[in-house]
Amino acid sequence: MQTIRCFIAVDISPEIKDRISSLISHVASQVPRGSVRWVERVNLHLTLKFLGEIQSVRANGIQKALDLVLGAIPAFDLSIAGAGLFPSARKPRIIWLGILPAHDVSLLAAKVDNAMQSLGFEPEDRPFSPHLTIGRVSRDVSESALPAIAEVVLKNQPGEIGMIRIQAVTLYRSDLRPQGPIYTPLAHVQLADGKSPNPC
Ligand code: ATP
Ligand code: MG
């Protein structure tokens, strides 16, 4: 049986992707080359639920379960603002942008998580933490060099980058490659008054 790596995410509009790409270029020029794997413009997204390896025949059922729950949620706006680091500024691994209001997107993620639970996926054991990953610190960066990377990120706090209208959610397939992942949309599921999804 064929398996595929999948996740459920919200797409980012081209205009906001441009702004985030500019920020990434600006920050990337200030950290040692190769110390961070920056997310490619085309790959920028907001993850709601990581599904991992699934049997490819399950994609249809996932789409239907999402349709049922998301069709009852009205589209809403989110603001992308600020930058931060997981797990901490002392030992950063993930560089992210903040998402506000956290409550609305957390609710959407919880509904998606519930819908996936109904299909037998494990519920999240940690509370959803809304963020948009823009970079991952390379494993080969020495621990002593980590705080300096965090300092550059925090020094370039972006303030408000812009608003995104959440009117659809996308089921993605992810193919991991040494040069970086390739994401392929498998299904777009509209919220209550959603229109066509944003072009990538
Ligand atoms: P790479 O793993 O090569 O760095 P990636 O993380 O972008 O690439 P995936 O690992 O397939 O690609 O992840 C797809 C999305 O799901 C990303 O947004 C990632 O942050 C998120 N994700 C991956 N693993 C998990 C996990 N265990 N829990 C929560 N989210 C995850
Ligand atoms: Mg990953």
Side-chain angles (χ1 to χ4, degrees):
M1 183 71 75
Q2 196 206 355
T3 67
I4 49 178
R5 183 179 176 95
C6 286
F7 65 101
I8 298 166
V10 163
D11 291 332
I12 309 297
S13 66
E15 189 195 359
I16 300 294
K17 280 185 176 175
D18 284 345
R19 292 188 205 161
I20 296 174
S21 288
S22 304
L23 174 74
I24 288 177
S25 307
H26 185 64
V27 177
S29 68
Q30 298 172 56
V31 299
R33 189 176 288 274
S35 60
V36 176
R37 287 181 297 121
W38 297 101
V39 176
E40 298 277 343
R41 180 191 181 283
V42 68
N43 282 348
L44 289 165
H45 65 274
L46 167 53
T47 306
L48 295 174
K49 173 85 180 165
F50 179 70
L51 299 173
E53 291 288 327
I54 65 159
Q55 293 181 350
S56 54
V57 291
R58 297 189 75 189
N60 244 333
I62 292 170
Q63 179 176 5
K64 287 198 178 114
L66 289 174
D67 256 330
L68 266 179
V69 58
L70 299 184
I73 303 175
F76 61 98
D77 292 321
L78 287 177
S79 163
I80 301 178
L85 305 121
F86 286 146
S88 70
R90 225 165 45 83
K91 287 189 181 174
R93 299 263 61 117
I94 303 280
I95 302 171
W96 49 263
L97 301 178
I99 309 288
L100 296 168
H103 176 261
D104 293 355
V105 66
S106 298
L107 205 63
L108 178 65
K111 300 236 171 169
V112 167
D113 195 35
N114 282 342
M116 294 304 103
Q117 268 184 67
S118 70
L119 297 181
F121 286 96
E122 287 295 314
E124 293 299 321
D125 50 6
R126 288 183 300 183
F128 179 74
S129 162
H131 68 279
L132 194 158
T133 300
I134 57 168
R136 295 177 174 85
V137 180
S138 302
R139 285 276 152 205
D140 48 7
V141 172
S142 70
E143 270 202 16
S144 59
L146 292 174
I149 293 174
E151 205 173 295
V152 170
V153 172
L154 297 174
K155 192 179 75 188
N156 289 283
Q157 280 282 342
E160 188 178 35
I161 288 179
M163 306 282 293
I164 47 172
R165 181 134 188 93
I166 310 304
Q167 46 198 18
V169 154
T170 305
L171 171 63
Y172 277 103
R173 168 184 179 154
S174 170
D175 291 292
L176 300 183
R177 304 280 155 87
Q179 321 83 282
I182 297 175
Y183 303 149
T184 310
L186 299 180
H188 292 293
V189 179
Q190 302 293 314
L191 270 56
D193 52 353
K195 305 204 175 65
S196 324
N198 294 315
C200 294

